[in-house]
Amino acid sequence: MIRLRIQVAHWRRRALVLTDTPRPDCRDCEGFGGIEHPYGDGNGEYAGSDIEFCGWWNESRRWVLLPLPRRPRWLRRRDSGRDPWGPDGYSNEPPF
């Protein structure tokens, strides 16, 4: 059974896509869509991890619903050099 959700894809042009979602009751992956296998280097230190996806879930199964329009040039955010809003969208200025 396919569990669908809508999300925004950031490809060459932004679009709304319909995509598959992992089953939360899967006994193999426990709802994550895959099993992570960490591995180490020759010294035994962590070197990364590989993900083995479940056989029933296909992450690349997507359907484009609607391409989103581009913002006009005058509405795009301008970089003025000093941004009082931090990278996470919250102000770093004192409250008063």
Coordinates of all heavy atoms in Angstrom, one line a residue:
M1 N 0.8 -1.2 0.0 CA 0.0 0.0 0.0 C 0.9 1.2 0.0 O 1.8 1.4 0.8 CB -0.9 0.0 1.3 CG -1.8 1.2 1.3 SD -2.9 0.9 2.7 CE -2.9 2.5 3.4
I2 N 0.6 2.2 -0.9 CA 1.3 3.4 -1.0 C 0.8 4.5 0.0 O -0.4 4.7 0.0 CB 1.3 3.9 -2.4 CG1 2.0 2.9 -3.3 CG2 2.0 5.3 -2.5 CD1 2.0 3.4 -4.8
R3 N 1.6 5.1 0.8 CA 1.2 6.2 1.6 C 1.8 7.5 1.0 O 3.0 7.7 1.0 CB 1.7 6.0 3.0 CG 1.2 4.8 3.7 CD 1.9 4.6 5.0 NE 2.2 5.8 5.7 CZ 1.5 6.3 6.8 NH1 0.5 5.6 7.2 NH2 1.8 7.4 7.3
L4 N 0.9 8.3 0.5 CA 1.3 9.5 -0.2 C 1.3 10.8 0.6 O 0.6 10.9 1.5 CB 0.4 9.7 -1.5 CG 0.4 8.6 -2.4 CD1 -0.6 8.8 -3.5 CD2 1.8 8.4 -3.0
R5 N 2.2 11.7 0.3 CA 2.3 13.0 0.9 C 2.7 14.0 -0.1 O 3.3 13.7 -1.1 CB 3.2 13.0 2.1 CG 4.6 12.9 1.7 CD 5.6 13.0 2.9 NE 6.9 12.7 2.4 CZ 8.0 12.7 3.1 NH1 7.9 13.0 4.4 NH2 9.1 12.3 2.6
I6 N 2.4 15.3 0.2 CA 2.8 16.4 -0.7 C 4.0 17.1 -0.1 O 4.0 17.4 1.1 CB 1.6 17.4 -0.9 CG1 0.4 16.7 -1.6 CG2 2.0 18.6 -1.7 CD1 -0.8 17.6 -1.7
Q7 N 5.0 17.4 -0.9 CA 6.1 18.1 -0.4 C 6.6 19.0 -1.5 O 6.3 18.9 -2.7 CB 7.2 17.2 0.0 CG 7.9 16.4 -1.0 CD 9.0 15.5 -0.4 OE1 8.9 15.0 0.7 NE2 10.0 15.3 -1.2
V8 N 7.5 20.0 -1.2 CA 8.1 20.9 -2.1 C 9.4 20.4 -2.5 O 10.3 20.0 -1.7 CB 8.3 22.3 -1.5 CG1 9.0 23.3 -2.5 CG2 6.9 22.9 -1.1
A9 N 9.6 20.2 -3.8 CA 10.9 19.7 -4.4 C 11.7 20.9 -4.8 O 11.2 21.8 -5.5 CB 10.7 18.8 -5.5
H10 N 13.0 21.0 -4.5 CA 13.9 22.1 -4.9 C 14.8 21.6 -6.0 O 16.0 21.4 -5.8 CB 14.7 22.6 -3.7 CG 13.8 23.1 -2.6 ND1 13.3 24.4 -2.6 CD2 13.3 22.5 -1.5 CE1 12.6 24.6 -1.5 NE2 12.6 23.4 -0.8
W11 N 14.2 21.4 -7.2 CA 15.0 21.0 -8.3 C 15.4 22.3 -9.1 O 15.6 23.3 -8.5 CB 14.2 20.1 -9.2 CG 13.8 18.8 -8.6 CD1 14.5 18.1 -7.6 CD2 12.6 18.1 -8.8 NE1 13.9 17.0 -7.2 CE2 12.7 16.9 -7.9 CE3 11.5 18.2 -9.5 CZ2 11.7 16.0 -7.9 CZ3 10.5 17.2 -9.5 CH2 10.6 16.1 -8.7
R12 N 15.7 22.2 -10.4 CA 16.0 23.4 -11.1 C 14.9 24.5 -10.9 O 15.2 25.7 -10.8 CB 16.1 23.1 -12.6 CG 17.4 22.4 -12.9 CD 17.6 22.3 -14.4 NE 16.5 21.7 -15.1 CZ 16.3 21.7 -16.3 NH1 17.1 22.4 -17.1 NH2 15.3 21.0 -16.9
R13 N 13.7 24.0 -10.9 CA 12.6 24.9 -10.6 C 11.7 24.3 -9.5 O 11.5 23.1 -9.6 CB 11.7 25.1 -11.8 CG 10.6 26.1 -11.6 CD 10.0 26.5 -12.9 NE 8.9 27.4 -12.6 CZ 8.2 28.0 -13.6 NH1 8.4 27.6 -14.8 NH2 7.2 28.8 -13.3
R14 N 11.4 25.0 -8.5 CA 10.6 24.5 -7.4 C 9.3 23.9 -7.9 O 8.7 24.5 -8.8 CB 10.3 25.5 -6.3 CG 11.6 26.0 -5.6 CD 11.3 27.1 -4.6 NE 9.9 27.2 -4.2 CZ 9.5 27.6 -3.0 NH1 10.4 28.0 -2.2 NH2 8.3 27.6 -2.7
A15 N 8.8 22.9 -7.2 CA 7.5 22.3 -7.7 C 6.9 21.5 -6.5 O 7.6 21.1 -5.5 CB 7.7 21.3 -8.8
L16 N 5.6 21.4 -6.5 CA 4.9 20.5 -5.5 C 4.9 19.1 -6.1 O 4.5 18.9 -7.3 CB 3.5 21.0 -5.3 CG 3.3 22.3 -4.5 CD1 1.8 22.6 -4.4 CD2 3.9 22.1 -3.1
V17 N 5.3 18.1 -5.3 CA 5.3 16.8 -5.8 C 4.6 15.9 -4.8 O 4.5 16.2 -3.6 CB 6.8 16.2 -6.0 CG1 7.5 17.0 -7.0 CG2 7.5 16.3 -4.7
L18 N 4.1 14.8 -5.4 CA 3.4 13.8 -4.6 C 4.4 12.6 -4.4 O 4.9 12.1 -5.4 CB 2.1 13.3 -5.3 CG 1.2 12.4 -4.6 CD1 0.6 13.2 -3.4 CD2 0.0 12.0 -5.5
T19 N 4.7 12.3 -3.2 CA 5.8 11.3 -3.0 C 5.3 10.2 -2.0 O 4.4 10.4 -1.3 CB 7.1 12.0 -2.5 OG1 8.1 11.0 -2.3 CG2 6.8 12.6 -1.2
D20 N 6.0 9.1 -2.1 CA 5.7 7.9 -1.2 C 6.3 8.2 0.2 O 7.3 8.8 0.4 CB 6.3 6.7 -1.8 CG 5.8 5.4 -1.2 OD1 4.9 5.5 -0.4 OD2 6.4 4.3 -1.5
T21 N 5.7 7.6 1.2 CA 6.1 7.7 2.6 C 6.3 6.3 3.2 O 5.5 5.4 2.9 CB 5.0 8.5 3.4 OG1 4.7 9.7 2.8 CG2 5.5 8.7 4.8
P22 N 7.4 6.1 4.0 CA 7.6 4.8 4.6 C 6.4 4.4 5.5 O 5.8 5.3 6.1 CB 8.8 5.0 5.4 CG 9.5 6.2 4.9 CD 8.4 7.0 4.3
R23 N 6.1 3.1 5.6 CA 5.0 2.6 6.4 C 5.5 2.7 7.9 O 6.6 2.1 8.2 CB 4.7 1.2 6.1 CG 3.9 1.1 4.8 CD 3.4 -0.3 4.6 NE 4.6 -1.2 4.6 CZ 4.5 -2.5 4.3 NH1 3.3 -3.1 4.2 NH2 5.6 -3.2 4.3
P24 N 4.8 3.3 8.8 CA 5.2 3.3 10.2 C 5.2 2.0 10.9 O 5.8 1.8 11.9 CB 4.3 4.3 10.8 CG 3.1 4.4 10.0 CD 3.5 4.0 8.6
D25 N 4.4 1.0 10.4 CA 4.3 -0.3 11.1 C 5.2 -1.4 10.4 O 5.0 -2.6 10.7 CB 2.9 -0.7 11.1 CG 2.3 -0.9 9.7 OD1 2.9 -0.4 8.7 OD2 1.2 -1.5 9.5
C26 N 6.2 -1.0 9.6 CA 7.1 -1.9 9.0 C 8.0 -2.6 10.1 O 8.6 -1.9 10.9 CB 8.0 -1.3 8.0 SG 9.2 -2.4 7.2
R27 N 8.1 -3.9 10.1 CA 8.9 -4.6 11.1 C 10.4 -4.5 10.7 O 11.3 -4.7 11.6 CB 8.5 -6.0 11.2 CG 7.1 -6.1 11.8 CD 6.7 -7.6 11.9 NE 5.4 -7.6 12.4 CZ 4.7 -8.7 12.5 NH1 5.2 -9.9 12.1 NH2 3.4 -8.7 13.0
D28 N 10.7 -4.4 9.4 CA 12.1 -4.3 9.0 C 12.8 -3.0 9.3 O 13.9 -3.0 9.9 CB 12.2 -4.6 7.5 CG 11.7 -6.0 7.2 OD1 11.8 -6.9 8.0 OD2 11.3 -6.2 6.0
C29 N 12.2 -1.9 8.9 CA 12.8 -0.6 9.1 C 12.2 0.2 10.2 O 12.7 1.3 10.5 CB 12.8 0.2 7.8 SG 11.1 0.7 7.4
E30 N 11.2 -0.2 10.8 CA 10.5 0.5 11.9 C 10.0 1.9 11.5 O 10.0 2.8 12.3 CB 11.4 0.5 13.2 CG 11.8 -0.8 13.7 CD 12.8 -0.7 14.8 OE1 13.2 0.4 15.2 OE2 13.0 -1.8 15.4
G31 N 9.6 2.0 10.3 CA 9.0 3.3 9.8 C 10.0 4.3 9.3 O 9.6 5.4 8.9
F32 N 11.3 4.0 9.2 CA 12.3 4.9 8.8 C 12.5 4.8 7.3 O 13.2 5.7 6.7 CB 13.6 4.8 9.5 CG 13.5 5.2 10.9 CD1 13.6 4.3 11.9 CD2 13.3 6.5 11.3 CE1 13.4 4.6 13.3 CE2 13.2 6.9 12.6 CZ 13.3 5.9 13.6
G33 N 12.1 3.7 6.6 CA 12.3 3.5 5.2 C 13.6 2.8 4.9 O 13.8 2.5 3.7
G34 N 14.4 2.6 5.8 CA 15.7 1.9 5.6 C 16.4 1.6 6.9 O 16.0 2.0 7.9
I35 N 17.5 0.8 6.8 CA 18.3 0.4 7.9 C 19.7 1.0 7.7 O 20.3 0.8 6.7 CB 18.4 -1.1 8.1 CG1 16.9 -1.7 8.2 CG2 19.2 -1.5 9.2 CD1 16.9 -3.2 8.0
E36 N 20.2 1.7 8.7 CA 21.5 2.4 8.6 C 22.5 1.4 9.1 O 22.4 0.7 10.2 CB 21.5 3.6 9.5 CG 22.8 4.4 9.4 CD 22.8 5.6 10.2 OE1 21.9 5.8 11.0 OE2 23.7 6.4 10.1
H37 N 23.6 1.3 8.3 CA 24.7 0.4 8.7 C 26.0 1.2 8.8 O 26.6 1.6 7.8 CB 25.0 -0.7 7.6 CG 23.8 -1.6 7.4 ND1 23.5 -2.6 8.3 CD2 22.9 -1.7 6.4 CE1 22.4 -3.2 7.9 NE2 22.0 -2.7 6.7
P38 N 26.4 1.6 10.1 CA 27.6 2.4 10.2 C 28.9 1.5 10.0 O 28.8 0.3 10.2 CB 27.6 2.9 11.6 CG 26.6 2.0 12.3 CD 25.7 1.4 11.3
Y39 N 29.9 2.1 9.5 CA 31.2 1.4 9.3 C 32.3 2.3 9.7 O 32.2 3.5 9.9 CB 31.3 1.0 7.8 CG 31.3 2.1 6.8 CD1 32.5 2.7 6.4 CD2 30.1 2.5 6.2 CE1 32.5 3.7 5.5 CE2 30.1 3.5 5.3 CZ 31.3 4.1 4.9 OH 31.2 5.1 4.0
G40 N 33.5 1.6 9.9 CA 34.6 2.3 10.4 C 35.8 2.2 9.5 O 35.8 1.4 8.5
D41 N 36.8 3.0 9.7 CA 38.0 2.9 8.9 C 39.0 1.9 9.5 O 38.6 1.1 10.4 CB 38.7 4.3 8.7 CG 39.1 4.9 10.1 OD1 39.0 4.2 11.1 OD2 39.6 6.0 10.1
G42 N 40.2 1.9 9.0 CA 41.2 0.9 9.5 C 41.6 1.0 10.9 O 42.0 0.1 11.6
N43 N 41.4 2.2 11.5 CA 41.7 2.5 12.9 C 40.5 2.2 13.9 O 40.7 2.3 15.1 CB 42.2 3.9 13.1 CG 43.4 4.2 12.4 OD1 44.3 3.3 12.2 ND2 43.6 5.4 11.9
G44 N 39.4 1.8 13.3 CA 38.2 1.6 14.1 C 37.4 2.8 14.4 O 36.4 2.8 15.1
E45 N 37.8 3.9 13.8 CA 37.0 5.2 13.9 C 35.8 5.2 13.0 O 35.8 4.6 11.9 CB 37.9 6.4 13.6 CG 39.1 6.5 14.6 CD 38.6 6.9 16.0 OE1 37.6 7.7 16.1 OE2 39.3 6.4 16.9
Y46 N 34.8 5.9 13.4 CA 33.6 6.1 12.5 C 34.0 6.7 11.2 O 34.6 7.8 11.2 CB 32.5 6.9 13.2 CG 31.3 7.1 12.4 CD1 30.3 6.1 12.2 CD2 31.0 8.4 11.9 CE1 29.2 6.4 11.4 CE2 29.9 8.6 11.1 CZ 29.0 7.6 10.9 OH 27.9 7.8 10.1
A47 N 33.6 6.1 10.1 CA 33.9 6.7 8.8 C 32.7 7.0 7.9 O 32.8 7.5 6.8 CB 34.8 5.7 8.0
G48 N 31.5 6.7 8.4 CA 30.3 7.0 7.6 C 29.3 5.9 7.8 O 29.5 5.0 8.7
S49 N 28.3 5.9 7.0 CA 27.2 4.9 7.1 C 26.6 4.7 5.8 O 26.5 5.6 5.0 CB 26.2 5.2 8.2 OG 25.6 6.5 7.9
D50 N 26.1 3.5 5.6 CA 25.4 3.1 4.4 C 23.9 2.9 4.8 O 23.6 2.4 5.9 CB 25.9 1.9 3.7 CG 27.2 2.1 3.1 OD1 27.5 3.2 2.6 OD2 28.0 1.1 3.0
I51 N 23.0 3.2 3.9 CA 21.6 3.0 4.2 C 21.1 1.9 3.2 O 21.2 2.0 2.0 CB 20.7 4.2 4.0 CG1 21.2 5.3 5.1 CG2 19.3 4.0 4.2 CD1 20.5 6.6 5.0
E52 N 20.5 0.9 3.8 CA 19.8 -0.2 3.0 C 18.3 0.1 3.0 O 17.7 0.0 4.1 CB 20.2 -1.5 3.6 CG 19.5 -2.7 2.9 CD 19.7 -4.0 3.7 OE1 20.6 -4.0 4.6 OE2 19.1 -5.0 3.3
F53 N 17.8 0.5 1.9 CA 16.3 0.8 1.9 C 15.5 -0.4 1.9 O 15.9 -1.4 1.4 CB 16.0 1.7 0.6 CG 16.7 3.0 0.6 CD1 17.7 3.4 -0.1 CD2 16.2 4.0 1.5 CE1 18.3 4.6 -0.1 CE2 16.7 5.3 1.5 CZ 17.8 5.6 0.7
C54 N 14.3 -0.3 2.4 CA 13.4 -1.4 2.4 C 12.9 -1.7 1.0 O 12.9 -0.8 0.2 CB 12.1 -1.1 3.2 SG 12.3 -1.4 5.0
G55 N 12.6 -3.0 0.7 CA 12.2 -3.4 -0.6 C 10.9 -2.8 -1.1 O 10.7 -2.7 -2.2
W56 N 10.0 -2.5 -0.1 CA 8.7 -2.1 -0.5 C 8.6 -0.6 -0.7 O 7.7 0.0 -1.3 CB 7.7 -2.4 0.5 CG 8.1 -2.0 1.9 CD1 8.7 -2.7 2.9 CD2 7.8 -0.7 2.5 NE1 8.9 -1.9 4.0 CE2 8.4 -0.7 3.7 CE3 7.2 0.5 2.0 CZ2 8.4 0.4 4.6 CZ3 7.2 1.6 2.8 CH2 7.8 1.5 4.1
W57 N 9.6 0.2 -0.3 CA 9.6 1.6 -0.4 C 10.6 2.1 -1.4 O 11.7 1.7 -1.5 CB 9.9 2.3 0.9 CG 9.9 3.8 0.9 CD1 8.8 4.5 0.5 CD2 10.9 4.7 1.4 NE1 9.1 5.8 0.7 CE2 10.4 6.0 1.2 CE3 12.2 4.5 1.9 CZ2 11.1 7.1 1.5 CZ3 12.9 5.6 2.2 CH2 12.4 6.9 2.0
N58 N 10.1 3.0 -2.3 CA 11.0 3.5 -3.4 C 11.0 5.1 -3.2 O 10.0 5.7 -3.5 CB 10.4 3.2 -4.8 CG 11.3 3.6 -5.9 OD1 12.3 4.2 -5.7 ND2 10.9 3.3 -7.1
E59 N 12.1 5.6 -2.7 CA 12.2 7.0 -2.5 C 12.1 7.8 -3.7 O 11.7 9.0 -3.7 CB 13.6 7.3 -1.8 CG 13.7 8.7 -1.3 CD 15.1 9.0 -0.7 OE1 16.0 8.2 -0.9 OE2 15.2 10.0 0.0
S60 N 12.5 7.3 -4.9 CA 12.5 8.1 -6.1 C 11.1 8.0 -6.8 O 11.0 8.6 -7.9 CB 13.5 7.5 -7.1 OG 13.2 6.2 -7.4
R61 N 10.1 7.4 -6.2 CA 8.8 7.4 -6.8 C 8.1 8.7 -6.4 O 7.6 9.0 -5.3 CB 8.0 6.3 -6.2 CG 6.6 6.1 -6.8 CD 5.9 5.0 -6.2 NE 6.6 3.7 -6.1 CZ 6.4 2.7 -5.3 NH1 5.4 2.8 -4.4 NH2 7.1 1.7 -5.3
R62 N 8.1 9.7 -7.4 CA 7.5 11.0 -7.2 C 6.8 11.4 -8.5 O 7.1 11.1 -9.6 CB 8.6 12.0 -7.0 CG 9.4 11.7 -5.7 CD 10.5 12.7 -5.6 NE 11.3 12.3 -4.4 CZ 12.0 13.1 -3.7 NH1 12.1 14.4 -4.0 NH2 12.6 12.7 -2.6
W63 N 5.7 12.2 -8.3 CA 4.9 12.7 -9.4 C 4.8 14.2 -9.2 O 4.4 14.7 -8.1 CB 3.5 12.1 -9.4 CG 3.5 10.6 -9.6 CD1 3.6 10.0 -10.8 CD2 3.5 9.6 -8.6 NE1 3.6 8.6 -10.6 CE2 3.6 8.4 -9.2 CE3 3.5 9.6 -7.2 CZ2 3.5 7.2 -8.5 CZ3 3.5 8.4 -6.5 CH2 3.5 7.2 -7.2
V64 N 5.2 15.0 -10.2 CA 5.1 16.4 -10.1 C 3.6 16.8 -10.3 O 2.9 16.5 -11.2 CB 5.9 17.1 -11.2 CG1 5.7 18.6 -11.2 CG2 7.4 16.7 -11.1
L65 N 3.1 17.5 -9.3 CA 1.7 18.0 -9.3 C 1.6 19.4 -9.9 O 0.7 19.7 -10.8 CB 1.2 18.1 -7.9 CG 1.0 16.8 -7.2 CD1 0.5 17.0 -5.8 CD2 0.1 15.8 -7.9
L66 N 2.5 20.3 -9.5 CA 2.4 21.7 -9.9 C 3.7 22.4 -9.8 O 4.3 22.4 -8.8 CB 1.4 22.4 -9.0 CG 1.1 23.9 -9.2 CD1 0.4 24.1 -10.5 CD2 0.3 24.4 -8.1
P67 N 4.2 22.9 -11.0 CA 5.5 23.7 -10.8 C 5.1 25.1 -10.2 O 4.1 25.7 -10.5 CB 5.9 23.9 -12.3 CG 4.8 23.5 -13.1 CD 3.8 22.7 -12.3
L68 N 5.9 25.5 -9.3 CA 5.7 26.7 -8.5 C 6.3 27.9 -9.3 O 7.4 27.8 -9.9 CB 6.3 26.7 -7.1 CG 5.7 25.6 -6.2 CD1 6.4 25.6 -4.9 CD2 4.2 25.9 -6.0
P69 N 5.6 29.0 -9.3 CA 6.1 30.2 -10.1 C 7.3 30.8 -9.4 O 7.5 30.7 -8.2 CB 5.0 31.2 -10.0 CG 4.2 30.8 -8.9 CD 4.3 29.3 -8.7
R70 N 8.2 31.4 -10.2 CA 9.4 32.1 -9.7 C 8.9 33.4 -9.1 O 8.0 34.0 -9.6 CB 10.4 32.3 -10.8 CG 10.9 31.0 -11.2 CD 12.1 31.2 -12.2 NE 12.7 30.0 -12.5 CZ 12.8 29.5 -13.8 NH1 12.3 30.3 -14.8 NH2 13.3 28.4 -14.0
R71 N 9.7 33.9 -8.1 CA 9.4 35.2 -7.5 C 9.9 36.3 -8.5 O 10.9 36.1 -9.1 CB 10.1 35.4 -6.2 CG 9.5 34.6 -5.1 CD 10.2 35.0 -3.8 NE 9.6 34.4 -2.7 CZ 10.0 34.4 -1.5 NH1 11.1 35.1 -1.2 NH2 9.4 33.8 -0.5
P72 N 9.1 37.4 -8.5 CA 9.7 38.5 -9.4 C 11.0 39.0 -8.8 O 11.3 38.9 -7.6 CB 8.6 39.6 -9.2 CG 7.4 38.9 -8.7 CD 7.8 37.7 -8.0
R73 N 11.8 39.5 -9.7 CA 13.1 40.0 -9.3 C 13.1 41.0 -8.1 O 13.9 41.0 -7.2 CB 13.9 40.5 -10.4 CG 15.3 40.9 -10.2 CD 16.0 41.4 -11.4 NE 16.1 40.4 -12.5 CZ 17.0 39.5 -12.6 NH1 18.0 39.5 -11.8 NH2 17.0 38.6 -13.6
W74 N 12.1 41.9 -8.1 CA 12.0 42.9 -7.1 C 11.5 42.3 -5.7 O 11.7 43.0 -4.7 CB 11.1 44.0 -7.5 CG 9.7 43.6 -7.8 CD1 9.2 43.2 -9.0 CD2 8.6 43.6 -6.9 NE1 7.9 42.9 -8.9 CE2 7.5 43.1 -7.6 CE3 8.4 43.9 -5.6 CZ2 6.2 43.0 -7.0 CZ3 7.2 43.8 -5.0 CH2 6.1 43.3 -5.7
L75 N 11.0 41.1 -5.7 CA 10.6 40.5 -4.4 C 11.6 39.6 -3.8 O 11.5 39.2 -2.7 CB 9.3 39.6 -4.6 CG 8.0 40.3 -4.4 CD1 6.9 39.3 -4.6 CD2 7.9 40.9 -3.0
R76 N 12.7 39.3 -4.6 CA 13.7 38.4 -4.0 C 14.5 39.1 -2.9 O 14.6 40.3 -2.9 CB 14.7 38.0 -5.1 CG 14.0 37.2 -6.2 CD 15.0 36.7 -7.2 NE 14.2 36.1 -8.3 CZ 14.6 35.9 -9.5 NH1 15.8 36.4 -9.9 NH2 13.9 35.3 -10.4
R77 N 14.9 38.3 -1.9 CA 15.6 38.9 -0.8 C 17.0 39.5 -1.2 O 17.7 38.9 -1.9 CB 15.9 37.8 0.3 CG 16.7 38.3 1.4 CD 16.8 37.2 2.4 NE 16.0 37.7 3.5 CZ 15.7 36.9 4.6 NH1 16.2 35.8 4.7 NH2 15.0 37.4 5.5
R78 N 17.2 40.7 -0.8 CA 18.4 41.4 -1.2 C 19.4 41.2 0.0 O 19.1 41.4 1.2 CB 18.2 42.9 -1.4 CG 17.3 43.1 -2.6 CD 17.2 44.6 -2.9 NE 16.3 44.8 -4.0 CZ 15.1 45.1 -4.0 NH1 14.5 45.2 -2.8 NH2 14.4 45.3 -5.1
D79 N 20.7 41.1 -0.3 CA 21.7 41.0 0.7 C 22.3 42.3 0.9 O 23.0 42.9 0.1 CB 22.8 40.0 0.2 CG 23.8 39.7 1.3 OD1 23.5 40.0 2.5 OD2 24.9 39.2 1.0
S80 N 22.0 43.0 2.0 CA 22.4 44.3 2.3 C 23.8 44.3 3.1 O 24.2 45.3 3.5 CB 21.4 45.1 3.1 OG 21.2 44.4 4.4
G81 N 24.3 43.2 3.3 CA 25.6 43.1 4.1 C 25.4 42.8 5.5 O 26.0 41.9 6.1
R82 N 24.4 43.4 6.2 CA 24.2 43.2 7.6 C 22.7 42.8 7.7 O 21.8 43.6 7.5 CB 24.4 44.4 8.4 CG 24.3 44.2 9.9 CD 24.6 45.5 10.7 NE 24.3 45.3 12.1 CZ 23.1 45.5 12.6 NH1 22.1 45.8 11.9 NH2 22.9 45.3 13.9
D83 N 22.5 41.6 8.1 CA 21.1 41.1 8.3 C 20.8 40.9 9.7 O 21.4 40.1 10.4 CB 21.0 39.7 7.5 CG 19.6 39.2 7.4 OD1 18.7 40.0 7.8 OD2 19.4 38.1 7.0
P84 N 19.8 41.7 10.3 CA 19.5 41.5 11.7 C 18.9 40.2 12.0 O 18.8 39.8 13.2 CB 18.6 42.7 12.0 CG 18.0 43.0 10.7 CD 19.0 42.7 9.7
W85 N 18.4 39.5 11.0 CA 17.8 38.2 11.2 C 18.9 37.1 11.0 O 19.5 37.2 9.9 CB 16.6 38.0 10.3 CG 15.5 39.0 10.5 CD1 15.4 40.2 9.9 CD2 14.5 38.9 11.5 NE1 14.3 40.8 10.4 CE2 13.8 40.1 11.4 CE3 14.2 38.0 12.5 CZ2 12.7 40.4 12.2 CZ3 13.1 38.3 13.3 CH2 12.4 39.4 13.2
G86 N 19.0 36.2 11.9 CA 20.0 35.2 11.8 C 19.7 34.2 10.7 O 18.6 34.3 10.0
P87 N 20.5 33.2 10.4 CA 20.3 32.2 9.4 C 19.1 31.4 9.7 O 18.5 30.8 8.8 CB 21.6 31.4 9.3 CG 22.2 31.6 10.6 CD 21.8 33.0 11.1
D88 N 18.7 31.3 10.9 CA 17.5 30.4 11.3 C 16.2 31.2 11.3 O 15.2 30.7 11.6 CB 17.7 29.8 12.6 CG 18.1 30.7 13.7 OD1 18.2 31.9 13.5 OD2 18.2 30.3 14.9
G89 N 16.2 32.5 10.9 CA 15.0 33.3 10.9 C 14.7 34.1 12.1 O 13.6 34.7 12.2
Y90 N 15.5 34.0 13.1 CA 15.2 34.7 14.4 C 16.2 35.9 14.5 O 17.3 35.9 14.1 CB 15.4 33.8 15.6 CG 14.4 32.7 15.6 CD1 14.7 31.4 15.2 CD2 13.1 33.0 16.1 CE1 13.8 30.4 15.3 CE2 12.2 32.0 16.1 CZ 12.5 30.7 15.7 OH 11.6 29.7 15.8
S91 N 15.7 37.0 15.1 CA 16.5 38.2 15.3 C 17.6 38.0 16.3 O 17.4 37.4 17.3 CB 15.6 39.4 15.7 OG 16.4 40.5 15.9
N92 N 18.8 38.5 16.0 CA 19.9 38.4 17.0 C 20.1 39.8 17.7 O 21.1 40.0 18.3 CB 21.2 37.9 16.4 CG 21.6 38.7 15.2 OD1 21.0 39.8 14.9 ND2 22.6 38.2 14.5
E93 N 19.2 40.7 17.5 CA 19.2 42.1 18.1 C 18.6 42.0 19.5 O 17.7 41.2 19.8 CB 18.4 43.1 17.3 CG 19.0 43.3 15.9 CD 20.3 44.0 15.9 OE1 20.4 44.9 16.8 OE2 21.1 43.7 15.0
P94 N 19.1 42.9 20.4 CA 18.5 42.9 21.8 C 17.0 43.3 21.7 O 16.6 44.1 20.8 CB 19.3 43.9 22.6 CG 20.1 44.6 21.6 CD 20.2 43.8 20.3
P95 N 16.1 42.9 22.6 CA 14.7 43.2 22.5 C 14.3 44.7 22.6 O 13.3 45.1 22.1 CB 14.1 42.4 23.6 CG 15.2 42.2 24.6 CD 16.4 42.2 23.8
F96 N 15.1 45.6 23.3 CA 14.8 47.0 23.3 C 16.1 47.8 23.6 O 17.1 47.3 23.7 CB 13.8 47.3 24.4 CG 14.0 46.5 25.7 CD1 14.9 47.0 26.6 CD2 13.3 45.3 25.9 CE1 15.1 46.2 27.8 CE2 13.5 44.6 27.1 CZ 14.4 45.1 28.0

